[in-house]
Amino acid sequence: MPTDPLTLVHLSGLFAIVGTLSYAIGDVLMLAVKADITNYPNLQPHAKLLSGTEKLVALPWWRLAWGGLVGVLATPLLVAGLWHLYYGLAPAGAWLAWPPVLLFGVSFILAPFVHGSFIYLGEYVQALNRVSAESQDVIIGMFRRFRQVLIISYGTLMVFALAAIIWFALAVAQGDTLFPRWLAATNPLILLLLYFLVRRVGPKLTERVDGAGFSIAYLAFFILTTATLW
């Protein structure tokens, strides 16, 4: 078992990389799919409510299930990855090191609920496509209530994630951490905006990873943080 502190830091970074890669794979399995709603008459009256989630109707069960599970099961790796962030921030002092790590931690703890919830969201969409018109109101009611829960949980996760990212960027920018100052400008938020820019300029480039932008941004971020502490 490794006891050298730097070895543990490296392992922590690698755990974070594998964890975010797993989330990205899960996103691709669940969300990188196309479905034309005109091919699904039962869904057409509810196109506005579904608002993009109608594509889940085209997923086979194995993709829906494993797309959710692969991220959920990888969450402990993300939590273990927090150690290398703290190690890199620690020289700046407790007030700059602990808050972003704890905020990232809360967002990582909330992440599996949000990620795994797409399994059930997909089930509602597929059930809505299968049932008769007389039974659709029941599914629609369930879908509306579940979507509200998902919006609340996703919104909470984003608040903690944004607070963590901003605090981390400010801590690194002031220059007393082990991370280079340029890392402040390559935080997950900037990397996500870069992903959306690439998607807008060349949609074909991101077609196969559609829906995985957030996870890909974190993956790139953790590759950079791990590399700079190696």
Side-chain angles (χ1 to χ4, degrees), residues 120-193:
Y120 310 106
L121 198 65
E123 282 283 272
Y124 289 141
V125 174
Q126 294 188 11
L128 184 62
N129 182 57
R130 294 191 189 105
V131 300
S132 63
E134 299 78 33
S135 304
Q136 284 193 341
D137 284 346
V138 175
I139 305 297
I140 285 296
M142 295 170 66
F143 182 90
R144 287 182 187 275
R145 291 189 295 273
F146 186 75
R147 191 182 66 167
Q148 289 175 350
V149 171
L150 190 57
I151 289 172
I152 292 170
S153 56
Y154 191 78
T156 304
L157 183 155
M158 290 302 299
V159 168
F160 280 99
L162 286 174
I165 291 168
I166 292 170
W167 208 310
F168 176 89
L170 292 175
V172 172
Q174 57 80 42
D176 290 331
T177 72
L178 296 179
F179 296 115
R181 282 185 172 178
W182 57 261
L183 197 61
T186 53
N187 60 69
L189 180 58
I190 298 298
L191 293 169
L192 180 61
L193 293 176

Side-chain angles (χ1 to χ4, degrees), residues 23-38:
Y23 263 87
I25 291 171
D27 289 338
V28 169
L29 286 174
M30 289 192 297
L31 301 174
V33 61
K34 290 184 177 181
D36 188 346
I37 198 168
T38 59

Side-chain angles (χ1 to χ4, degrees), residues 78-98:
L78 292 182
V79 177
L82 292 172
W83 169 245
H84 91 285
L85 290 184
Y86 174 74
Y87 182 88
L89 294 172
W95 279 105
L96 288 176
W98 276 112

